[in-house]
Amino acid sequence: MKINFYQNITNTAFRGNPKQYNTTEWFTNISLPSKNRDIFEKDNRTNLTCRAFERKQNKLEISEFRSLDETQKEMIRRNTPLPCYLAAYDNVNIALEYKKLLDESYGKDNYVFISIGTSPSLIGKVFECMGVETKYLPMSGLKDKNLDIEEFCKNNNMDNYGDFLEKQNLTKERINKSKKHFIFCDYTDTGLTLERFQLLMKKKFGIAGKNVHFISLNNDLKRIKLDDNTLIDNYIKSYLTSYEAEYYSAIDHLGYFMTEATSFEPQSLTRHDNEDVKFFNFAVMDRLSAKNLLRNNPANKDTL
């Protein structure tokens, strides 16, 4: 599949640890937030104010972003840490290209994108903010060499995880009746985690079928044809292989063995109170809004 690449993505940079990022090495031909931190002032004209954003502990909703006036948005832009801004820039550009691939493969918006763990969750966030039905399923530790997944499935009912899936509207019944494709996506190294997750979904929750796909994000991204495919390779290396996605992902880790009910409370599964996460999510919405691509999908109402 040949995709004509956006000119502005050629400015994308991929970094190592963002805490050590040297801003003097970055490009100069796009508008970047100021390094100077403004003082947030209370403004009662909208539902969300700059100060409320600063103190916010829960998820930033699209409706809240839209409730900010331009002055307030500009204040937040100026306070956005540069690595958060750049991460949003990178992920929006890559996600736009990846969405073209998925639209061609499964039909335009004829799929639910399901991020397994943290690695695909940044692209997932862009999809969510573009109106794609998006779900996040925390699950980690499945590549544990001591784990016998068959025995684990036999000896653990995982009822609480099943309740969580039901709240996310990911049930066997819904999937079997749906005309949409359900794309379970994870970063793969050996592929063992994705293989075990697929087995767990089938054995414990009956999630399987022709419209259910378990895919490797890095392998899928390599299917995108760009004028300069080193951009894809660099994205994979920085955000996936080097786990930079974890700095900006709202999705926390959940060990496969953590089956108690309290583990599935939204506050246990997410880190929306993290400053980098908040600014990343704001920057994603801001960039999509500038492109007139920001969409709210009611199907994402209970998305983490």
Side-chain angles (χ1 to χ4, degrees):
M1 169 177 161
K2 175 70 175 176
I3 296 177
N4 294 323
F5 199 44
Y6 291 124
Q7 182 66 30
N8 64 356
I9 199 171
T10 59
N11 290 322
T12 302
F14 301 92
R15 302 157 302 287
N17 186 334
K19 306 302 183 183
Q20 301 172 353
Y21 184 70
N22 182 354
T23 60
T24 63
E25 297 176 356
W26 188 235
F27 54 83
T28 59
N29 62 337
I30 66 170
S31 176
L32 294 177
S34 168
K35 293 191 295 181
N36 297 324
R37 291 259 168 171
D38 291 337
I39 297 173
F40 289 150
E41 296 295 339
K42 185 174 178 61
D43 186 337
N44 292 319
R45 290 176 295 172
T46 58
N47 294 327
L48 182 67
T49 66
C50 295
R51 186 170 293 278
F53 175 83
E54 182 184 42
R55 296 173 175 174
K56 192 169 176 58
Q57 299 292 300
N58 56 355
K59 181 179 179 179
L60 176 66
E61 302 289 352
I62 291 175
S63 59
E64 293 178 309
F65 171 85
R66 287 175 170 161
S67 76
L68 292 161
D69 64 29
E70 189 56 34
T71 299
Q72 292 173 315
K73 288 177 183 176
E74 183 58 28
M75 291 177 69
I76 296 174
R77 289 182 193 117
R78 291 179 181 179
N79 282 275
T80 299
L82 184 58
C84 298
Y85 180 94
L86 298 178
Y89 184 86
D90 291 345
N91 280 274
V92 167
N93 284 333
I94 293 295
L96 288 174
E97 298 303 320
Y98 187 31
K99 187 176 185 300
K100 292 179 185 179
L101 181 72
L102 296 181
D103 284 350
E104 184 174 283
S105 299
Y106 304 105
K108 183 172 173 56
D109 295 326
N110 188 40
Y111 49 85
V112 179
F113 184 82
I114 304 152
S115 169
I116 304 171
T118 60
S119 295
S121 64
L122 300 190
I123 286 177
K125 187 64 185 181
V126 180
F127 284 174
E128 178 190 349
C129 292
M130 291 177 68
V132 176
E133 184 176 354
T134 305
K135 308 298 180 186
Y136 306 98
L137 300 185
M139 178 68 73
S140 57
L142 286 177
K143 60 182 177 183
D144 180 357
K145 64 180 181 181
N146 296 316
L147 172 63
D148 184 327
I149 192 65
E150 294 276 2
E151 285 298 313
F152 180 81
C153 288
K154 289 179 183 178
N155 299 328
N156 294 272
N157 59 40
M158 296 196 74
D159 287 346
N160 290 320
Y161 203 93
D163 292 341
F164 169 68
L165 289 176
E166 185 172 355
K167 188 169 184 179
Q168 298 300 307
N169 200 17
L170 292 175
T171 63
K172 175 179 66 174
E173 293 73 22
R174 187 249 171 137
I175 291 173
N176 288 344
K177 293 177 181 178
S178 179
K179 294 181 180 180
K180 285 190 171 186
H181 293 267
F182 292 78
I183 303 170
F184 291 80
C185 184
D186 194 14
Y187 164 66
T188 61
D189 181 12
T190 64
L192 184 58
T193 294
L194 187 61
E195 178 185 324
R196 287 175 168 177
F197 188 87
Q198 180 176 359
L199 181 63
L200 190 149
M201 289 293 107
K202 181 178 181 180
K203 294 278 189 180
K204 300 303 295 183
F205 309 111
I207 294 178
K210 293 182 179 180
N211 63 335
V212 177
H213 313 273
F214 293 85
I215 63 174
S216 162
L217 176 60
N218 39 306
N219 288 344
D220 235 22
L221 290 178
K222 289 177 181 178
R223 294 170 55 204
I224 299 174
K225 302 301 181 185
L226 306 177
D227 293 335
D228 181 5
N229 259 51
T230 60
L231 292 166
I232 296 295
D233 294 335
N234 288 338
Y235 178 89
I236 292 171
K237 180 179 179 180
S238 295
Y239 288 94
L240 305 181
T241 306
S242 298
Y243 303 108
E244 188 176 334
E246 295 192 11
Y247 287 103
Y248 310 105
S249 175
I251 307 305
D252 214 341
H253 293 285
L254 176 76
Y256 67 87
F257 48 84
M258 298 174 67
T259 57
E260 62 274 15
T262 55
S263 297
F264 297 93
E265 296 295 328
Q267 62 269 26
S268 298
L269 296 174
T270 58
R271 39 196 299 270
H272 287 291
D273 59 337
N274 179 276
E275 184 177 89
D276 286 345
V277 170
K278 285 194 290 187
F279 280 111
F280 172 82
N281 289 346
F282 170 87
V284 165
M285 293 180 190
D286 198 32
R287 184 151 178 79
L288 289 176
S289 179
K291 291 176 173 289
N292 198 30
L293 293 174
L294 187 63
R295 303 281 187 274
N296 185 41
N297 186 341
N300 291 329
K301 180 174 65 72
D302 293 318
T303 297
L304 293 177

